[in-house]
Amino acid sequence: MHKVSFIGGGNMAAAIIGGLIASGTQPTDIEVVEINADARAQLAARFGVVTHTDLSQARLHALIVLAVKPQSLPEVAATLSTRLAGQLVVSIAAGVRVADLTRWLGGHSRIVRAMPNTPALVQAGIAGLYAPAAVNPDARSQAETVLRAVGGVVWVESESQLDAVTAVSGSGPAYVFYCIESLEAAGVAQGLSAATARQLALQTFFGAAKLALESGEEPALLRSRVTSKGGTTERGIAALETAGVKAAFGQAVDAASLRSAELGDELGRLA
């Protein structure tokens, strides 16, 4: 792995840094620019990486990860633009489109946009990546290596598809937590203790996802194997179908995707 500069040292940056180090990157090959003193101290103590208070102190390695809040990116990019010399810039700022980032960076085009999700915090994330034609295969591979440090990676062919990625996997953990909440509450309503209901719900979601991942089989097929004719699961699935749960998930993804596109428009007008 090449040396990496992180601009921003929040939770997602820390997760990626931890994953890179666990994968063999030397802490001294990573620098982090972070304005918050407590965050800098924690990063240095936890990982042994080089930290700076502002961009003027940074060496700026060949690969730069932009991990600041989207609203802060125009100002950060304006400062960064005067220091760029062909580096690959990987942005994990949600909603900020490549064209806007290129504009803020003074025309710099070696940009990969990434949409990771919060399970990256436990090295179990999935990230959607997009790169324009100006980014060659070697640079794409470098960007992929960074995100693979905290989970899986999928590439999309058009940037607009990142809105769908945001709606499915970016917002998806919240949908899963919502389902866990609901299953837990249903267990309590059936007379189980809150602790027992939570343990059953959590382990069921974890185990089912693990089985689906490791078997490689279609979820519909796995579901059919649990759904015996005339049994309890068949009755439960029928209730979910009557309630329109599948359609509700589709509506949730549609709504989140639309909002992602709206946010991209709003962020593009920041500067």
PDB file of all heavy atoms in Angstrom, residues 194-219:
ATOM      1  N   ALA A 194     -36.800  -8.557  27.926  1.00  0.00           N
ATOM      2  CA  ALA A 194     -36.161  -7.687  26.947  1.00  0.00           C
ATOM      3  C   ALA A 194     -34.780  -8.201  26.570  1.00  0.00           C
ATOM      4  O   ALA A 194     -34.389  -8.183  25.395  1.00  0.00           O
ATOM      5  CB  ALA A 194     -36.075  -6.263  27.495  1.00  0.00           C
ATOM      6  N   ALA A 195     -34.030  -8.691  27.566  1.00  0.00           N
ATOM      7  CA  ALA A 195     -32.678  -9.188  27.300  1.00  0.00           C
ATOM      8  C   ALA A 195     -32.714 -10.423  26.406  1.00  0.00           C
ATOM      9  O   ALA A 195     -31.914 -10.553  25.471  1.00  0.00           O
ATOM     10  CB  ALA A 195     -31.968  -9.506  28.607  1.00  0.00           C
ATOM     11  N   THR A 196     -33.643 -11.334  26.683  1.00  0.00           N
ATOM     12  CA  THR A 196     -33.749 -12.550  25.876  1.00  0.00           C
ATOM     13  C   THR A 196     -34.202 -12.230  24.463  1.00  0.00           C
ATOM     14  O   THR A 196     -33.652 -12.753  23.482  1.00  0.00           O
ATOM     15  CB  THR A 196     -34.729 -13.536  26.530  1.00  0.00           C
ATOM     16  OG1 THR A 196     -34.217 -13.925  27.806  1.00  0.00           O
ATOM     17  CG2 THR A 196     -34.927 -14.771  25.668  1.00  0.00           C
ATOM     18  N   ALA A 197     -35.182 -11.342  24.339  1.00  0.00           N
ATOM     19  CA  ALA A 197     -35.690 -10.973  23.013  1.00  0.00           C
ATOM     20  C   ALA A 197     -34.592 -10.321  22.181  1.00  0.00           C
ATOM     21  O   ALA A 197     -34.450 -10.596  20.984  1.00  0.00           O
ATOM     22  CB  ALA A 197     -36.879 -10.033  23.159  1.00  0.00           C
ATOM     23  N   ARG A 198     -33.790  -9.470  22.828  1.00  0.00           N
ATOM     24  CA  ARG A 198     -32.706  -8.803  22.096  1.00  0.00           C
ATOM     25  C   ARG A 198     -31.644  -9.801  21.653  1.00  0.00           C
ATOM     26  O   ARG A 198     -31.175  -9.760  20.515  1.00  0.00           O
ATOM     27  CB  ARG A 198     -32.065  -7.710  22.954  1.00  0.00           C
ATOM     28  CG  ARG A 198     -30.853  -7.044  22.275  1.00  0.00           C
ATOM     29  CD  ARG A 198     -30.446  -5.784  22.964  1.00  0.00           C
ATOM     30  NE  ARG A 198     -31.510  -4.792  22.901  1.00  0.00           N
ATOM     31  CZ  ARG A 198     -31.403  -3.566  23.410  1.00  0.00           C
ATOM     32  NH1 ARG A 198     -30.292  -3.180  24.020  1.00  0.00           N
ATOM     33  NH2 ARG A 198     -32.396  -2.711  23.312  1.00  0.00           N
ATOM     34  N   GLN A 199     -31.267 -10.703  22.528  1.00  0.00           N
ATOM     35  CA  GLN A 199     -30.260 -11.707  22.171  1.00  0.00           C
ATOM     36  C   GLN A 199     -30.745 -12.572  21.021  1.00  0.00           C
ATOM     37  O   GLN A 199     -29.991 -12.859  20.081  1.00  0.00           O
ATOM     38  CB  GLN A 199     -29.930 -12.572  23.385  1.00  0.00           C
ATOM     39  CG  GLN A 199     -28.814 -13.575  23.132  1.00  0.00           C
ATOM     40  CD  GLN A 199     -28.456 -14.387  24.369  1.00  0.00           C
ATOM     41  OE1 GLN A 199     -29.031 -14.185  25.443  1.00  0.00           O
ATOM     42  NE2 GLN A 199     -27.519 -15.301  24.223  1.00  0.00           N
ATOM     43  N   LEU A 200     -32.001 -12.975  21.069  1.00  0.00           N
ATOM     44  CA  LEU A 200     -32.559 -13.794  19.989  1.00  0.00           C
ATOM     45  C   LEU A 200     -32.582 -13.017  18.666  1.00  0.00           C
ATOM     46  O   LEU A 200     -32.206 -13.557  17.620  1.00  0.00           O
ATOM     47  CB  LEU A 200     -33.982 -14.241  20.355  1.00  0.00           C
ATOM     48  CG  LEU A 200     -34.107 -15.283  21.460  1.00  0.00           C
ATOM     49  CD1 LEU A 200     -35.573 -15.442  21.866  1.00  0.00           C
ATOM     50  CD2 LEU A 200     -33.539 -16.628  21.005  1.00  0.00           C
ATOM     51  N   ALA A 201     -33.004 -11.763  18.712  1.00  0.00           N
ATOM     52  CA  ALA A 201     -33.099 -10.964  17.495  1.00  0.00           C
ATOM     53  C   ALA A 201     -31.720 -10.695  16.898  1.00  0.00           C
ATOM     54  O   ALA A 201     -31.506 -10.863  15.688  1.00  0.00           O
ATOM     55  CB  ALA A 201     -33.822  -9.646  17.791  1.00  0.00           C
ATOM     56  N   LEU A 202     -30.784 -10.280  17.744  1.00  0.00           N
ATOM     57  CA  LEU A 202     -29.444  -9.954  17.247  1.00  0.00           C
ATOM     58  C   LEU A 202     -28.757 -11.167  16.637  1.00  0.00           C
ATOM     59  O   LEU A 202     -28.213 -11.108  15.530  1.00  0.00           O
ATOM     60  CB  LEU A 202     -28.583  -9.400  18.391  1.00  0.00           C
ATOM     61  CG  LEU A 202     -28.885  -7.980  18.850  1.00  0.00           C
ATOM     62  CD1 LEU A 202     -28.110  -7.649  20.119  1.00  0.00           C
ATOM     63  CD2 LEU A 202     -28.526  -6.981  17.743  1.00  0.00           C
ATOM     64  N   GLN A 203     -28.780 -12.279  17.341  1.00  0.00           N
ATOM     65  CA  GLN A 203     -28.082 -13.460  16.844  1.00  0.00           C
ATOM     66  C   GLN A 203     -28.766 -14.025  15.605  1.00  0.00           C
ATOM     67  O   GLN A 203     -28.111 -14.566  14.714  1.00  0.00           O
ATOM     68  CB  GLN A 203     -28.000 -14.533  17.935  1.00  0.00           C
ATOM     69  CG  GLN A 203     -27.085 -15.707  17.577  1.00  0.00           C
ATOM     70  CD  GLN A 203     -25.632 -15.291  17.377  1.00  0.00           C
ATOM     71  OE1 GLN A 203     -25.125 -14.434  18.107  1.00  0.00           O
ATOM     72  NE2 GLN A 203     -24.961 -15.885  16.406  1.00  0.00           N
ATOM     73  N   THR A 204     -30.080 -13.866  15.524  1.00  0.00           N
ATOM     74  CA  THR A 204     -30.807 -14.338  14.343  1.00  0.00           C
ATOM     75  C   THR A 204     -30.411 -13.535  13.113  1.00  0.00           C
ATOM     76  O   THR A 204     -30.168 -14.107  12.037  1.00  0.00           O
ATOM     77  CB  THR A 204     -32.323 -14.248  14.577  1.00  0.00           C
ATOM     78  OG1 THR A 204     -32.680 -15.131  15.646  1.00  0.00           O
ATOM     79  CG2 THR A 204     -33.098 -14.654  13.330  1.00  0.00           C
ATOM     80  N   PHE A 205     -30.328 -12.214  13.250  1.00  0.00           N
ATOM     81  CA  PHE A 205     -29.910 -11.393  12.111  1.00  0.00           C
ATOM     82  C   PHE A 205     -28.469 -11.690  11.726  1.00  0.00           C
ATOM     83  O   PHE A 205     -28.147 -11.825  10.543  1.00  0.00           O
ATOM     84  CB  PHE A 205     -30.084  -9.904  12.437  1.00  0.00           C
ATOM     85  CG  PHE A 205     -31.414  -9.362  12.020  1.00  0.00           C
ATOM     86  CD1 PHE A 205     -32.528  -9.568  12.808  1.00  0.00           C
ATOM     87  CD2 PHE A 205     -31.557  -8.663  10.842  1.00  0.00           C
ATOM     88  CE1 PHE A 205     -33.776  -9.082  12.430  1.00  0.00           C
ATOM     89  CE2 PHE A 205     -32.793  -8.172  10.437  1.00  0.00           C
ATOM     90  CZ  PHE A 205     -33.905  -8.375  11.240  1.00  0.00           C
ATOM     91  N   PHE A 206     -27.591 -11.786  12.728  1.00  0.00           N
ATOM     92  CA  PHE A 206     -26.187 -12.079  12.450  1.00  0.00           C
ATOM     93  C   PHE A 206     -26.041 -13.440  11.773  1.00  0.00           C
ATOM     94  O   PHE A 206     -25.360 -13.572  10.751  1.00  0.00           O
ATOM     95  CB  PHE A 206     -25.382 -12.060  13.754  1.00  0.00           C
ATOM     96  CG  PHE A 206     -23.965 -12.508  13.590  1.00  0.00           C
ATOM     97  CD1 PHE A 206     -23.001 -11.674  13.058  1.00  0.00           C
ATOM     98  CD2 PHE A 206     -23.583 -13.797  13.956  1.00  0.00           C
ATOM     99  CE1 PHE A 206     -21.690 -12.096  12.886  1.00  0.00           C
ATOM    100  CE2 PHE A 206     -22.272 -14.233  13.794  1.00  0.00           C
ATOM    101  CZ  PHE A 206     -21.323 -13.378  13.254  1.00  0.00           C
ATOM    102  N   GLY A 207     -26.699 -14.454  12.322  1.00  0.00           N
ATOM    103  CA  GLY A 207     -26.568 -15.807  11.786  1.00  0.00           C
ATOM    104  C   GLY A 207     -27.151 -15.933  10.389  1.00  0.00           C
ATOM    105  O   GLY A 207     -26.568 -16.591   9.514  1.00  0.00           O
ATOM    106  N   ALA A 208     -28.301 -15.301  10.157  1.00  0.00           N
ATOM    107  CA  ALA A 208     -28.926 -15.380   8.836  1.00  0.00           C
ATOM    108  C   ALA A 208     -28.063 -14.696   7.783  1.00  0.00           C
ATOM    109  O   ALA A 208     -27.889 -15.204   6.667  1.00  0.00           O
ATOM    110  CB  ALA A 208     -30.313 -14.758   8.882  1.00  0.00           C
ATOM    111  N   ALA A 209     -27.497 -13.521   8.133  1.00  0.00           N
ATOM    112  CA  ALA A 209     -26.629 -12.815   7.186  1.00  0.00           C
ATOM    113  C   ALA A 209     -25.363 -13.624   6.908  1.00  0.00           C
ATOM    114  O   ALA A 209     -24.904 -13.720   5.758  1.00  0.00           O
ATOM    115  CB  ALA A 209     -26.270 -11.440   7.733  1.00  0.00           C
ATOM    116  N   LYS A 210     -24.799 -14.234   7.944  1.00  0.00           N
ATOM    117  CA  LYS A 210     -23.595 -15.051   7.784  1.00  0.00           C
ATOM    118  C   LYS A 210     -23.876 -16.261   6.894  1.00  0.00           C
ATOM    119  O   LYS A 210     -23.084 -16.611   6.007  1.00  0.00           O
ATOM    120  CB  LYS A 210     -23.084 -15.502   9.148  1.00  0.00           C
ATOM    121  CG  LYS A 210     -21.699 -16.152   9.145  1.00  0.00           C
ATOM    122  CD  LYS A 210     -21.221 -16.368  10.578  1.00  0.00           C
ATOM    123  CE  LYS A 210     -19.750 -16.791  10.618  1.00  0.00           C
ATOM    124  NZ  LYS A 210     -19.512 -18.113  10.067  1.00  0.00           N
ATOM    125  N   LEU A 211     -25.021 -16.888   7.108  1.00  0.00           N
ATOM    126  CA  LEU A 211     -25.400 -18.039   6.288  1.00  0.00           C
ATOM    127  C   LEU A 211     -25.575 -17.625   4.835  1.00  0.00           C
ATOM    128  O   LEU A 211     -25.101 -18.318   3.916  1.00  0.00           O
ATOM    129  CB  LEU A 211     -26.694 -18.655   6.824  1.00  0.00           C
ATOM    130  CG  LEU A 211     -27.279 -19.828   6.025  1.00  0.00           C
ATOM    131  CD1 LEU A 211     -26.291 -20.986   5.945  1.00  0.00           C
ATOM    132  CD2 LEU A 211     -28.601 -20.288   6.654  1.00  0.00           C
ATOM    133  N   ALA A 212     -26.236 -16.490   4.601  1.00  0.00           N
ATOM    134  CA  ALA A 212     -26.447 -16.028   3.236  1.00  0.00           C
ATOM    135  C   ALA A 212     -25.127 -15.683   2.554  1.00  0.00           C
ATOM    136  O   ALA A 212     -24.911 -16.010   1.380  1.00  0.00           O
ATOM    137  CB  ALA A 212     -27.375 -14.809   3.241  1.00  0.00           C
ATOM    138  N   LEU A 213     -24.219 -15.044   3.291  1.00  0.00           N
ATOM    139  CA  LEU A 213     -22.918 -14.678   2.728  1.00  0.00           C
ATOM    140  C   LEU A 213     -22.088 -15.914   2.389  1.00  0.00           C
ATOM    141  O   LEU A 213     -21.506 -16.013   1.308  1.00  0.00           O
ATOM    142  CB  LEU A 213     -22.148 -13.799   3.715  1.00  0.00           C
ATOM    143  CG  LEU A 213     -22.475 -12.307   3.720  1.00  0.00           C
ATOM    144  CD1 LEU A 213     -21.846 -11.643   4.934  1.00  0.00           C
ATOM    145  CD2 LEU A 213     -21.960 -11.648   2.435  1.00  0.00           C
ATOM    146  N   GLU A 214     -22.033 -16.849   3.318  1.00  0.00           N
ATOM    147  CA  GLU A 214     -21.129 -17.986   3.151  1.00  0.00           C
ATOM    148  C   GLU A 214     -21.689 -19.057   2.226  1.00  0.00           C
ATOM    149  O   GLU A 214     -20.918 -19.779   1.582  1.00  0.00           O
ATOM    150  CB  GLU A 214     -20.792 -18.578   4.523  1.00  0.00           C
ATOM    151  CG  GLU A 214     -19.981 -17.608   5.382  1.00  0.00           C
ATOM    152  CD  GLU A 214     -19.520 -18.218   6.690  1.00  0.00           C
ATOM    153  OE1 GLU A 214     -19.797 -19.423   6.929  1.00  0.00           O
ATOM    154  OE2 GLU A 214     -18.883 -17.491   7.478  1.00  0.00           O
ATOM    155  N   SER A 215     -23.008 -19.169   2.128  1.00  0.00           N
ATOM    156  CA  SER A 215     -23.587 -20.183   1.242  1.00  0.00           C
ATOM    157  C   SER A 215     -23.561 -19.730  -0.211  1.00  0.00           C
ATOM    158  O   SER A 215     -23.464 -20.548  -1.128  1.00  0.00           O
ATOM    159  CB  SER A 215     -25.027 -20.485   1.656  1.00  0.00           C
ATOM    160  OG  SER A 215     -25.885 -19.398   1.341  1.00  0.00           O
ATOM    161  N   GLY A 216     -23.664 -18.418  -0.425  1.00  0.00           N
ATOM    162  CA  GLY A 216     -23.703 -17.893  -1.777  1.00  0.00           C
ATOM    163  C   GLY A 216     -25.008 -18.163  -2.494  1.00  0.00           C
ATOM    164  O   GLY A 216     -25.136 -17.890  -3.693  1.00  0.00           O
ATOM    165  N   GLU A 217     -25.990 -18.685  -1.791  1.00  0.00           N
ATOM    166  CA  GLU A 217     -27.276 -19.027  -2.410  1.00  0.00           C
ATOM    167  C   GLU A 217     -28.227 -17.833  -2.362  1.00  0.00           C
ATOM    168  O   GLU A 217     -28.066 -16.919  -1.555  1.00  0.00           O
ATOM    169  CB  GLU A 217     -27.890 -20.238  -1.704  1.00  0.00           C
ATOM    170  CG  GLU A 217     -27.067 -21.499  -1.889  1.00  0.00           C
ATOM    171  CD  GLU A 217     -27.676 -22.706  -1.185  1.00  0.00           C
ATOM    172  OE1 GLU A 217     -28.019 -22.574   0.004  1.00  0.00           O
ATOM    173  OE2 GLU A 217     -27.797 -23.761  -1.829  1.00  0.00           O
ATOM    174  N   GLU A 218     -29.234 -17.885  -3.242  1.00  0.00           N
ATOM    175  CA  GLU A 218     -30.214 -16.819  -3.295  1.00  0.00           C
ATOM    176  C   GLU A 218     -30.984 -16.729  -1.979  1.00  0.00           C
ATOM    177  O   GLU A 218     -31.404 -17.758  -1.443  1.00  0.00           O
ATOM    178  CB  GLU A 218     -31.201 -17.064  -4.444  1.00  0.00           C
ATOM    179  CG  GLU A 218     -30.599 -16.991  -5.828  1.00  0.00           C
ATOM    180  CD  GLU A 218     -30.225 -15.569  -6.215  1.00  0.00           C
ATOM    181  OE1 GLU A 218     -30.894 -14.628  -5.735  1.00  0.00           O
ATOM    182  OE2 GLU A 218     -29.266 -15.397  -6.978  1.00  0.00           O
ATOM    183  N   PRO A 219     -31.194 -15.519  -1.475  1.00  0.00           N
ATOM    184  CA  PRO A 219     -31.960 -15.377  -0.240  1.00  0.00           C
ATOM    185  C   PRO A 219     -33.350 -16.011  -0.331  1.00  0.00           C
ATOM    186  O   PRO A 219     -33.843 -16.585   0.651  1.00  0.00           O
ATOM    187  CB  PRO A 219     -32.062 -13.859  -0.057  1.00  0.00           C
ATOM    188  CG  PRO A 219     -30.833 -13.331  -0.722  1.00  0.00           C
ATOM    189  CD  PRO A 219     -30.612 -14.230  -1.912  1.00  0.00           C
TER     190      PRO A 219
END
